[in-house]
Amino acid sequence: MVELKTPEQIAHMRAAGLVVAEIHRRTAEAAVPGASTKDLDDIAAQVLAERGAKPNFLGYGGFPATICTSVNDVVVHGIPDRKTVLRSGDVISIDAGAIVNGWHADAAITVLVGEGHGAELVELSRVTEDSLWAGIAAMRKGNRLVDVSRAVESYIRRQPLPVSGKYGIVEQYGGHGIGSEMHMDPHLLNYVDRRRGRGPRLVPGMCLAIEPMITLGTPKTHVLADEWTVKSNDGTWSSHWEHSVALTEEGPIVLTAPDGGREKLAALGVTAAPDPLA
Ligand code: MG
């Protein structure tokens, strides 16, 4: 069963999404050489406290922090700590969430720390982010879940290959329904698996967290002994971008984008739904 939200519930999720957007604005500013990942976690906790929002990552399955900070060959679920100090040339994914009035939002950004990144890494982050937006643009009435997966995958497959030879679309993790809980049905693949069928029809009230994760090599990953940190098996660096998106009668609204996704969706020929809080 996929939970369908009322317009009022989507407005609560939008409030949570704007808190997540602020966490990203402030942690991205602070992700400079010399900062530790714990410094970023502290900022996220501060934003939640200021906005009267609750954390959804902290304590989730025992997760010990407010955000996930995944540096270089860490794909997702990195645990912030004081000993991981950012250096110029690093790449970090900052995955953050918030709960407002019981309703969840979840999003991730990739930040290129300092300078000196190779063109391949800059392009990896761009391709990952734009594949997310291709997926968001496929969130429309009449489509099926698989159409979102296909939009993400086919966008990536249309891009020129990196010097490393390939993009690895991570298969062991994916997007998810979101609403009264952070992780809900349906699970959303970032590629098409023909054995799985087409998935549920997309209808107004459905909310998805769409989150492509791509490496500069293998799609295969493993979990470290801390039981959280997910690394690429070949040590190649990765990018991760995510937004929480609601499908409404008037189209999609990107709950975790400051402008609701208006500008990026317009560039793709899609009109974002009006902001429920505007
Ligand atoms: Mg997520």
Side-chain angles (χ1 to χ4, degrees):
M1 276 300 287
V2 175
E3 179 184 79
L4 298 181
K5 284 68 158 174
T6 65
E8 187 189 16
Q9 291 165 342
I10 288 172
H12 289 312
M13 291 178 70
R14 173 62 170 157
L18 288 172
V19 175
V20 174
E22 184 176 348
I23 291 174
H24 278 142
R25 184 176 59 77
R26 285 171 54 180
T27 53
E29 267 173 24
V32 295
S36 77
T37 51
K38 178 71 167 79
D39 293 335
L40 306 184
D41 197 65
D42 290 344
I43 290 167
Q46 174 77 28
V47 173
L48 290 173
E50 284 170 15
R51 298 285 215 104
K54 294 199 179 104
N56 41 11
F57 289 25
L58 183 65
Y60 181 93
F63 189 76
T66 303
I67 57 175
C68 299
T69 50
S70 305
V71 180
N72 299 343
D73 62 334
V74 178
V75 180
V76 283
H77 303 165
I79 303 171
D81 61 22
R82 295 219 177 277
K83 68 178 198 298
T84 305
V85 174
L86 298 175
R87 292 169 302 186
S88 200
D90 282 350
V91 59
I92 180 174
S93 131
I94 301 170
D95 194 347
I99 310 171
V100 170
N101 292 320
W103 294 90
H104 291 247
D106 178 14
I109 59 172
T110 292
V111 178
L112 302 175
V113 179
E115 50 193 32
H117 302 87
E120 191 175 48
L121 199 59
V122 175
E123 180 67 356
L124 171 71
S125 180
R126 185 201 65 77
V127 167
T128 310
E129 183 180 13
D130 286 349
S131 74
L132 163 62
W133 285 96
I136 294 169
M139 256 191 95
R140 56 171 184 261
K141 263 197 285 193
N143 270 357
R144 297 267 188 176
L145 191 69
V146 72
D147 296 310
V148 178
S149 302
R150 181 181 297 107
V152 170
E153 179 180 22
S154 66
Y155 181 85
I156 298 163
R157 298 294 178 218
R158 285 200 305 274
Q159 304 310 304
L161 290 175
V163 177
S164 65
K166 61 177 172 178
Y167 287 123
I169 303 176
V170 172
E171 297 179 356
Q172 284 154 299
Y173 303 89
H176 48 92
I178 183 166
S180 60
E181 294 173 52
M182 179 164 59
H183 291 136
M184 310 182 76
D185 282 341
H187 182 66
L188 172 63
L189 300 173
N190 289 308
Y191 63 99
V192 176
D193 181 344
R194 297 191 190 288
R195 293 163 299 184
R196 290 217 189 195
R198 302 170 63 206
R201 198 175 290 284
L202 305 185
V203 295
M206 196 178 279
C207 297
L208 296 176
I210 306 174
E211 50 179 323
M213 294 151 243
I214 311 179
T215 78
L216 283 171
T218 183
K220 301 273 185 261
T221 61
H222 61 283
V223 181
L224 300 192
D226 63 18
E227 297 184 350
W228 284 104
T229 307
V230 175
K231 283 197 175 191
S232 65
N233 281 3
D234 60 3
T236 53
W237 291 13
S238 60
S239 175
H240 173 212
W241 284 87
E242 175 182 21
H243 274 303
S244 295
V245 186
L247 181 58
T248 77
E249 290 288 355
E250 296 152 293
I253 174 151
V254 184
L255 302 165
T256 43
D259 72 347
R262 185 157 311 281
E263 192 180 317
K264 292 233 180 206
L265 285 173
L268 297 171
V270 175
T271 305
D275 187 334
L277 297 182

